Amino acid sequence: MIDTAKEQALRLYGRKIRILAGDRGYRGQKMSGATKIIIPDVPKASDSAYMKARKHEMFRKRAGIEPVIGHCKSDRRLGRNFYKGLFGDSINVMLAAAAYNLKRAMRLLLCLFRWGLMRLMTEGIRPVVTCNAGICARERSFQGSTS
């Protein structure tokens, strides 16, 4: 499994993985070819402060990815594959990733819109509202029911 992932990384990124960070549940080989596999553990006394900080940073990156994968499994239907074959596997993952990224982009746009609106309000400039969709819809339905 690790060897196939290393081959894929080499094919996609064009460089070999020298150090691979696993999680605490990983048990197995410490080396895979030229790749060193490390798991989080109590730092060695012989490690320098730089090495301790570097390992800490590497494991923090991995720990930041795990919740994203968990949310995609539960919220974006990645717990079960609904498409057939290897091509279906890739389509399923790509659709889940696109939905996740789209939701993040929409959240960012909403925050930017709220920030801009609050900035306009604090400067004393009121945005011009030409038509409130809810009021217009009620007026049309009211007018339509009387005639």
Side-chain angles (χ1 to χ4, degrees), residues 10-36:
L10 178 64
R11 188 178 67 241
L12 292 175
Y13 302 115
R15 37 184 194 147
K16 294 184 178 183
I17 298 174
R18 292 180 287 133
I19 300 174
L20 184 88
D23 57 1
R24 288 189 190 271
Y26 176 76
R27 298 288 178 254
Q29 55 193 7
K30 298 286 184 192
M31 293 286 290
S32 175
T35 303
K36 182 179 180 182

Side-chain angles (χ1 to χ4, degrees), residues 72-87:
C72 282
K73 282 184 175 180
S74 63
D75 301 340
R76 308 277 175 260
R77 297 175 55 150
L78 266 185
R80 179 170 180 232
N81 189 9
F82 296 95
Y83 303 107
K84 184 176 178 183
L86 291 175
F87 185 68

Side-chain angles (χ1 to χ4, degrees), residues 115-128:
W115 176 78
L117 193 61
M118 289 304 295
R119 186 170 169 123
L120 285 174
M121 296 293 220
T122 57
E123 290 178 1
I125 303 170
R126 299 280 184 216
V128 178

Side-chain angles (χ1 to χ4, degrees), residues 11-105:
R11 188 178 67 241
L12 292 175
Y13 302 115
R15 37 184 194 147
K16 294 184 178 183
I17 298 174
R18 292 180 287 133
I19 300 174
L20 184 88
D23 57 1
R24 288 189 190 271
Y26 176 76
R27 298 288 178 254
Q29 55 193 7
K30 298 286 184 192
M31 293 286 290
S32 175
T35 303
K36 182 179 180 182
I37 301 170
I38 56 175
I39 58 173
D41 201 5
V42 178
K44 297 177 184 175
S46 62
D47 284 347
S48 65
Y50 172 75
M51 281 304 295
K52 289 177 186 177
R54 191 161 171 217
K55 284 181 182 179
H56 182 72
E57 181 181 322
M58 189 179 337
F59 293 129
R60 296 273 305 199
K61 281 183 186 177
R62 179 172 171 83
I65 294 169
E66 292 293 333
V68 173
I69 294 170
H71 281 293
C72 282
K73 282 184 175 180
S74 63
D75 301 340
R76 308 277 175 260
R77 297 175 55 150
L78 266 185
R80 179 170 180 232
N81 189 9
F82 296 95
Y83 303 107
K84 184 176 178 183
L86 291 175
F87 185 68
D89 293 345
S90 63
I91 291 292
N92 196 29
V93 169
M94 290 304 219
L95 288 173
Y100 177 78
N101 289 334
L102 184 62
K103 185 174 180 180
R104 286 183 66 191

